[in-house]
Amino acid sequence: MERIGILTGGGDCPGLNPVIRAVVRKALLDGYEIVGIKNGWKGLVENDTLPLDMDAVSGILPKGGTILGTSRTNPYKKEGDLQKVKDNFKKMNLCALVAVGGEDTLGVASKLTKDGIPNIVGVPKTIDNDLSATDYTFGFDTALNVAMECIDRLHTTAESHHRIIVAEVMGRHAGWIAIEAGIAGGADVILIPEIPIDIEEVCSVIKRRHERGKTFSIVVVAEGAQFKDSDLILQEQKLDAFGHVRLGGIGEALANEIEKKTGYETRVSVLGHIQRGGSPTAFDRVLGTRFGVKAVELLKAKKFGRMVALQGVKIIDVPLEDAVKELKTVDMDLYNLAKVFFG
Ligand code: F6P
């Protein structure tokens, strides 16, 4: 019986378990054996696996996180790890691998298809929604809904106390969570990495709003947003195994500047990993399920080096390298629409 492996890498997100369940159910139906590789690429480096069958995936559809565990291990970083990945792929007796992840995990998958492991299919995951070639990644919808609910909650307390509240959301160098949660939550200013922050402009929008009688404001800022003014640049930040900076801190810096320049009491709320936790929305469960089934169909058809993707209402497949070629950033039409509601 042919054997398929599946791993989940990078930051976890709601929808990973629906993908795992779908891959396992479809693979078993099609007569494959399936094994889970623990903790992303780390499990392939260390030959760490988890047997997967119908029982193992029973009841996981509504659960957040990933039953396989995850890590940000990059097998191209440490000398010798790439060889271990190749050796363990053989030892595990795999005919193919499903790699579920974002830019980094799929970037490794794409390289591996040229470095000796061609039989890989990718599934696009990330709350950041920043992968090219797919309209949506699963995980984004849940994070967006969590952020929207938090903004709703911040509204009631900001209004009662006549304060400005800055909500810092995730999304790395793309402002998708900020722009969509900001629109859905009725934020008064939305700041995204795609547009450098003009602090004078932000303060004048808030002042204009208060001049028309409002005594509170909600500002949503993406963690990757940066000040236009170089004097306000944040301190050096730590790097992960893929060389990405660990973001965070812009909310605090922004709140300080707003309070200083407007004189209005300003607080900050960093939503952080709350956005990545918990049960996936119906949208993410369905998208993850469709992606998982399609991934096994691709493997069966020996269409390797591909990534499943959503385009319009259809699940299609695209070259893995297309997904990681460039970051998908916020569409300026959407930003201009959001601006109609600023102030
Ligand atoms: O890529 C998903 C993400 O949640 C980003 O939005 C965020 O910058 C990063 O991961 C946080 O990573 P970690 O969980 O390693 O702190």
Coordinates of all heavy atoms in Angstrom, one line a residue, residues 11-12 72 125-128 170-172 177 223 240 245-247 273 276, ligand 1:
G11 N 3.3 29.2 11.9 CA 2.4 29.6 12.9 C 1.1 28.8 12.8 O 0.6 28.6 11.6
D12 N 0.5 28.3 13.9 CA -0.7 27.5 13.7 C -1.9 28.4 13.3 O -1.7 29.6 13.4 CB -1.0 26.8 15.0 CG -1.6 27.8 16.1 OD1 -1.0 28.9 16.2 OD2 -2.5 27.4 16.8
R72 N 8.7 26.5 13.6 CA 9.2 27.3 12.5 C 10.6 26.8 12.0 O 11.4 27.6 11.6 CB 9.3 28.8 13.0 CG 7.9 29.4 13.2 CD 8.0 30.9 13.2 NE 6.8 31.6 13.7 CZ 5.7 31.8 12.9 NH1 5.7 31.4 11.6 NH2 4.7 32.4 13.4
K125 N -1.9 28.0 4.1 CA -2.5 28.3 5.4 C -1.9 29.6 5.9 O -0.7 29.9 5.7 CB -2.0 27.2 6.4 CG -2.1 27.6 7.8 CD -0.8 27.5 8.5 CE 0.3 28.5 8.1 NZ 1.3 28.7 9.1
T126 N -2.6 30.5 6.4 CA -2.1 31.6 7.2 C -3.2 32.6 7.6 O -4.0 32.9 6.7 CB -0.9 32.4 6.6 OG1 -0.7 33.6 7.4 CG2 -1.2 32.8 5.2
I127 N -3.2 33.1 8.8 CA -4.1 34.1 9.2 C -3.8 35.4 8.4 O -4.7 36.3 8.3 CB -4.2 34.4 10.7 CG1 -2.9 34.9 11.2 CG2 -4.6 33.1 11.5 CD1 -3.0 35.6 12.6
D128 N -2.6 35.5 7.9 CA -2.2 36.8 7.3 C -2.8 37.0 5.9 O -2.8 38.1 5.4 CB -0.7 36.9 7.2 CG 0.0 36.7 8.5 OD1 -0.6 36.9 9.5 OD2 1.2 36.2 8.5
M170 N -2.5 41.3 14.1 CA -1.4 40.6 13.4 C -1.5 40.8 11.9 O -2.4 41.6 11.4 CB -1.4 39.2 13.8 CG -0.8 38.8 15.1 SD -0.8 37.1 15.4 CE 0.3 37.0 16.8
G171 N -0.7 40.1 11.2 CA -0.8 40.1 9.7 C 0.5 40.2 9.0 O 0.6 40.3 7.8
R172 N 1.6 40.3 9.9 CA 2.9 40.5 9.4 C 3.0 41.7 8.4 O 2.5 42.8 8.8 CB 3.4 39.2 8.7 CG 4.8 39.0 8.9 CD 5.2 37.6 8.6 NE 5.9 37.0 9.8 CZ 6.1 35.7 9.9 NH1 5.8 34.9 8.9 NH2 6.7 35.3 11.0
I177 N -5.8 41.7 7.8 CA -6.6 41.5 9.0 C -7.0 42.9 9.4 O -8.2 43.2 9.7 CB -5.8 40.8 10.1 CG1 -5.4 39.4 9.7 CG2 -6.7 40.8 11.4 CD1 -4.7 38.6 10.8
E223 N 0.3 45.1 12.9 CA 1.6 45.0 13.6 C 2.8 45.4 12.7 O 3.8 45.8 13.2 CB 1.8 43.6 14.1 CG 1.9 42.5 13.0 CD 2.1 41.1 13.4 OE1 2.3 40.9 14.6 OE2 2.1 40.2 12.5
D240 N 13.4 35.2 13.4 CA 13.1 33.8 13.5 C 14.0 33.0 12.6 O 14.8 33.6 11.9 CB 11.6 33.5 13.4 CG 11.1 33.7 12.0 OD1 11.9 33.8 11.0 OD2 9.9 33.8 11.8
V245 N 11.5 39.4 11.1 CA 11.5 40.1 12.4 C 10.2 39.7 13.2 O 9.2 39.4 12.6 CB 11.5 41.6 12.3 CG1 12.8 42.1 11.9 CG2 10.4 42.1 11.3
R246 N 10.4 39.6 14.5 CA 9.2 39.3 15.4 C 8.6 40.7 15.6 O 9.2 41.6 16.2 CB 9.7 38.7 16.7 CG 8.6 38.0 17.4 CD 8.9 37.5 18.7 NE 9.9 36.4 18.7 CZ 10.5 36.0 19.8 NH1 10.3 36.5 20.9 NH2 11.4 35.0 19.7
L247 N 7.4 40.9 15.0 CA 6.8 42.2 15.0 C 6.0 42.5 16.3 O 5.7 41.5 17.1 CB 5.8 42.3 13.8 CG 6.5 42.2 12.5 CD1 5.5 42.0 11.3 CD2 7.3 43.5 12.2
H273 N -2.0 36.6 19.9 CA -2.3 35.2 19.5 C -3.7 34.8 19.8 O -4.1 33.7 19.3 CB -1.3 34.2 20.3 CG 0.1 34.4 19.8 ND1 0.9 35.3 20.3 CD2 0.8 33.8 18.9 CE1 2.1 35.3 19.7 NE2 2.1 34.3 18.8
R276 N -5.2 33.8 16.6 CA -4.9 32.5 16.0 C -5.5 31.3 16.7 O -5.4 30.2 16.2 CB -3.3 32.4 16.0 CG -2.7 33.0 14.9 CD -1.3 32.5 14.5 NE -0.6 31.7 15.3 CZ 0.7 31.9 15.6 NH1 1.3 33.0 15.1 NH2 1.4 31.1 16.3
Ligands
F6P1 O1 2.1 34.4 10.3 C1 1.2 34.3 11.3 C2 1.5 35.2 12.5 O2 0.5 35.1 13.4 C3 1.8 36.7 12.1 O3 0.6 37.4 11.9 C4 2.7 37.1 13.3 O4 3.5 38.2 13.0 C5 3.5 35.9 13.6 O5 2.8 34.8 13.0 C6 3.7 35.6 15.0 O6 4.5 34.5 15.2 P1 4.8 33.8 16.5 O7 3.6 32.9 16.9 O8 6.0 32.9 16.2 O9 5.1 34.8 17.6

